[in-house]
Amino acid sequence: MFQLFNRVVPSIFFAFFCLVILPLNLSAAETGEYIAIRKEGSGNIALVLDKLDANGTKESRFAQSLDTIMYDGLDFTKLFALISPPLNVRDYSDKKNVVINFGALTSVGAEVYAGGSLTRKSGMINLDMKVYDASGSKLLLSKTYTGREEGLRSIGHAFCADLVELLTGKKSVFGSKIVFVSNKNGFKEVYECDFDGYGVQQLTNAKSIAMNPAISPDGRSLAYISFAPGRPTLYIRDLAGGTIASVGKSGVSIDPGWRNNSEVAATLSLDGNQAIYLVKTDGSLSKRVTNNKSIDISPAFSPDGTRMAFVSSRNGLPQIFIQDIQSGLVKRLTFSGRYNTQPSWSPLGDKIAYTTWEKNGEINIFVINTDGSGLLQLTQNNGENKSPSWSPDGEMIVYTSNRQGKEKMYVMSSKGGNERLLLQGDDLQTQPSWSLFR
Amino acid sequence: MKTMKPLLRTLFIPTMLFLGACACCEETVVAPPPPPPPPAIVLPGLGDVFYDFDRSELRADAVAQLRTNANWIQANGTSNVIIEGHCDERGTSEYNLALGERRANSAKDYVVNLGVSPARLKTVSFGEEKPFADGHNEEAWAQNRRAHFVVE
């Protein structure tokens, strides 16, 4: 059984590796030229996002909406310095072929120009976009995006995703989701919204207390804690099929974290002792990971699933440790701060975000390299800041803060700065978790 | 005189460290923290017990109440009891959920040691989710760090 397991798992990983890495390599080859000419860390990309061309009243209205969707989307990433298009940027003198005035672009300091046109055919929208390197007058991307009239956001964001990937060589946040807990209906339920706070949807309706939702890397399963059966219990829900597995017949379940698409780890107290276990999506136990008399909670895995950051009180007050899953070797990660909890492993694998409860009563978010170096404080002088979770591109962190009274979701750059409220409302928003999928 | 200065300094620092260390030890030996005041009343029947910050060990003032609870459970043979562990709002909610279970378990273990059948006791943690007092001060927090006994 184990031999079979050993043979099958690497081949699955290899297949997965091909799926994920090869398309990335392709796009990296296409985009390499642009990325190569930009200096490393040279700041935001100076972009002119031009207004869309459109003929007809309805077309113009859709074009205006798409202009806003694309502008807001690109602005949200904070990867760009968005420059207003110069008046004479497009030369229409040749009616068959619109000419871009690159001199006008470089004079306003633009590095990249994106513009295009919108047409409509039998209820479908066609968005034709072209992206140019402004200094080299070189066409970087020419692509048509098609979708239904009511799906303007997806059409616009599909272009935004391509643009970010083209210019940075990395996957973007577009299409990703954030799951969180809100008390909007009077109970703590699980909700989801898009990466930018748009399109809030309620996912549970147990009229109880829900905690710590987390979506599997492939976006198919939702793990969360619910008090519905009278005690905090781990649930794993197949989001498409709707089947729900519950885990453990006694004790408490705490704070699930996905290792891969088929295994989620959580604290269970099956024998009275609180330990972290790996659980399959059908709710069956797969492995006990920690074995210590102390509190062990909040598993957060490295992207390859080989290492797990977690919180333990084995040295007294809670600190963050890293355990190698295969060998079981444990190393303490945090030494600064007396009460460190809520680890979140970056999708690039090199950093861990976590919270420190400080002596002055504030709770603040820090980022540290997985080898314990490079400690960086991201929040300060703003009350309690909790539950950090990385965006799938590693550029941003979603978290909650009570800086304006009630606990609400915020986003910021993963290097610090650009802190802003994600979602308006009178509700209490807690424990956000950013999905990896798009 | 000039050459003496560094020497004096090198002697001075270890001496002060030594004296400091002694003073430190002496302080903890001579003046242990005062025990928390016992509660004014032990409730007849089932009553709750309270905990120190970030601790799940029983305090000395919990013993009388837990004895009363054990007697009540023994005398009421048909009623099973749930022990709920609760925490104050400070810190983070996942850790408090774990701490709450430990509080419930410490109260349960004591009652079981007094002869109550563990089959008649269930434990659950609510962490910081269901506070008893609403305030954001030590008075409220002390009320919220508790093991709450309820008949099932």
Side-chain angles (χ1 to χ4, degrees), chain B residues 6 23 25 37-39 42 44 67 79 81 87 90 102-105 122 124 132 146 148:
Chain B
C25 299
V42 173
R67 284 209 183 108
S79 308
V81 166
C87 301
R90 295 173 300 162
R102 289 178 165 247
R103 285 178 179 161
N105 283 342
K122 276 188 194 163
V124 66
F132 291 77
R146 74 165 83 191
H148 179 51

Side-chain angles (χ1 to χ4, degrees), chain A residues 128-305:
Chain A
D128 283 296
M129 290 301 290
K130 284 189 167 60
V131 177
Y132 292 91
D133 170 10
S135 58
S137 320
K138 192 176 173 304
L139 183 65
L140 298 172
L141 174 85
S142 174
K143 194 168 168 181
T144 304
Y145 301 84
T146 305
R148 294 175 172 281
E149 289 174 358
E150 60 273 18
L152 281 186
R153 246 175 83 83
S154 323
I155 301 170
H157 284 171
F159 166 71
C160 293
D162 281 350
L163 183 68
V164 170
E165 207 167 327
L166 173 78
L167 300 179
T168 66
K170 290 191 290 186
K171 292 272 181 203
S172 66
V173 294
F174 295 99
S176 62
K177 303 264 186 193
I178 294 167
V179 287
F180 61 102
V181 171
S182 162
N183 68 349
K184 194 185 275 190
N185 74 345
F187 299 92
K188 287 190 172 175
E189 306 280 5
V190 178
Y191 290 76
E192 71 167 15
C193 64
D194 289 355
F195 66 97
D196 56 356
Y198 186 90
V200 176
Q201 277 191 316
Q202 192 176 335
L203 296 184
T204 64
N205 195 13
K207 299 193 163 48
S208 176
I209 300 166
M211 290 177 75
N212 300 106
I215 289 194
S216 61
D218 62 4
R220 296 177 64 163
S221 308
L222 173 75
Y224 61 101
I225 304 296
S226 173
F227 280 72
R231 61 190 175 82
T233 303
L234 172 62
Y235 286 88
I236 303 166
R237 182 152 124 188
D238 175 351
L239 286 171
T243 54
I244 299 180
S246 71
V247 181
K249 296 207 158 48
S250 65
V252 301
S253 309
I254 308 168
D255 200 5
W258 289 92
R259 184 188 188 194
N260 49 44
N261 292 325
S262 55
E263 274 185 325
V264 64
T267 299
L268 307 172
S269 54
L270 300 174
D271 60 0
N273 184 25
Q274 296 156 341
I276 295 173
Y277 293 79
L278 279 165
V279 179
K280 297 189 192 124
T281 46
D282 64 2
S284 60
L285 294 188
S286 121
K287 186 184 177 180
R288 180 169 181 160
V289 185
T290 66
N291 200 343
N292 194 293
K293 286 202 181 313
S294 64
I295 293 173
D296 290 333
I297 55 163
S298 300
F301 287 88
S302 60
D304 64 3

